[in-house]
Amino acid sequence: MGCKTCMEDRISGLPDEILCHILSFLYTKEAAKTSILSHRWKNVLASVSSFDFCVQSPNMVSDRCARFVDRVLALGGSSYIHRLRLECANIEDYFSRIDAWICTAISRKVVELDLCLLSYSRQSSFELPRSLFMCNTLEVLRLRVKSNLITKPPTSNCFPSLKFMHVTLYRPFYDSTLYRNFYDSTRNLFSCCPVLEDLIIDGFVPHKPAFLVNVFAPKLKRLEVNLYVILDRKCNHPNGWNLEDKFWKNAESLSKAKIALRVPATGYPGDIYLWQLLHYADQLSRLLAGINKVTYLSFSAPISENIQWCWKHAEGYLVAHKWRPPESVPVCLLSSLKTICIRGFYGRPYEMEVAKYLLKHGEVLTKVTIFYTNDLGVAEEMRLRQELSKFPRGSKTCQVELLEVKS
């Protein structure tokens, strides 16, 4: 009796719906191996609605992978696809196939689409299918592109159901034409998202001439920006990454914002670094002024910098940091902002002024968490704690937490 129980195939006794759900957690290549078990398992594979494919460089093995993707997508006919994850390297060798795979998913009413498209060629440019922007079923889009992406969304009816978007950006090769395509395409990508609720933008972006992101998402609730701005040694103007002013006017639903902009401080002449910091001088003031209903705000300390500079003979630039608060207290500090996280804190005078301003005017704040580097030392940490404890607070219930971050 015991042996019979041990040999019993309980998995095959499960309904097809449950078997499909189990297979959806596997890489599609692994899930396909179950089709050799029996005719029933082959039918189960045809009913799977979640796929995870990886196609590498164009050799014999990877070409087999591409044909495998063709066969699996054809096996399902016109059945519904819930999720498609597609990772492709050297995409210039698969442009037509990638386009066909994406269009197949769209025609089969895909809900979640995860695209990782990598290219190392200066000449390659990949254009996203126009049907992607008009897909009525697409709710989740994750897009990681290391190529010269081209997007030409329609002027209306764009992303009608998209609620979550995560885009990882990689700067193109330094070529004026390629950069212009990258710049225009990135602006277009976020320009019409009528029902978007979550937006994450991360990766690497160029600074020139001024990398503006045009976001139209009137129902956006959560925004996360984590970008590394790549400098150019030929930089001679204070431009950089920025959200266009009109974004803040359309951010009435925004309740949570996390902003981190990183600019390299070494390896370039001092004038380049200072020009870049000049551009970010008023970022925090603009951010606070535009997010009226935010309850949670996290930002990196460099975003709060205001910099005044002068030329000092051959020694380079002499820099003085000074916090210039908004002309009027932002509405969010008076009525909605309850939690603030400040990262990359060094206790510089202008950073202390920012913290003081936020604590003083944050009338509904309940918690402020400040993350500092362990390079400060014990004595400096004690000084910070003492100074922060003396700052006036607009909210009697606000707690301030100073946490060390290991470097």
Side-chain angles (χ1 to χ4, degrees), residues 346 372-376 404-407:
Y346 282 88
Y372 70 94
T373 173
N374 63 346
D375 296 335
L376 292 181
E404 179 183 358
V405 176
K406 302 293 183 180
S407 60

Side-chain angles (χ1 to χ4, degrees), residues 243-308:
L243 283 167
E244 289 189 344
D245 289 339
K246 62 183 178 181
F247 165 76
W248 305 117
K249 298 177 183 178
N250 295 320
E252 290 296 318
S253 299
L254 194 66
S255 62
K256 184 176 182 179
K258 298 175 67 176
I259 311 293
L261 303 178
R262 294 174 174 82
V263 181
T266 59
Y268 291 88
D271 57 336
I272 294 178
Y273 181 52
L274 296 180
W275 276 122
Q276 290 301 314
L277 291 179
L278 275 169
H279 169 73
Y280 298 120
D282 297 319
Q283 289 290 295
L284 183 60
S285 296
R286 293 179 62 251
L287 176 65
L288 290 172
I291 48 179
N292 295 335
K293 298 179 181 179
V294 163
T295 60
Y296 175 94
L297 173 65
S298 172
F299 64 91
S300 55
I303 202 175
S304 64
E305 290 185 85
N306 277 267
I307 297 174
Q308 300 170 343

Side-chain angles (χ1 to χ4, degrees), residues 198-210:
D198 292 85
L199 175 61
I200 302 174
I201 307 173
D202 58 20
F204 299 81
V205 295
H207 74 280
K208 61 179 185 179

Side-chain angles (χ1 to χ4, degrees), residues 130 153-158 192:
R130 189 177 177 86
T155 55
S156 61
N157 299 321
C158 187
C192 186

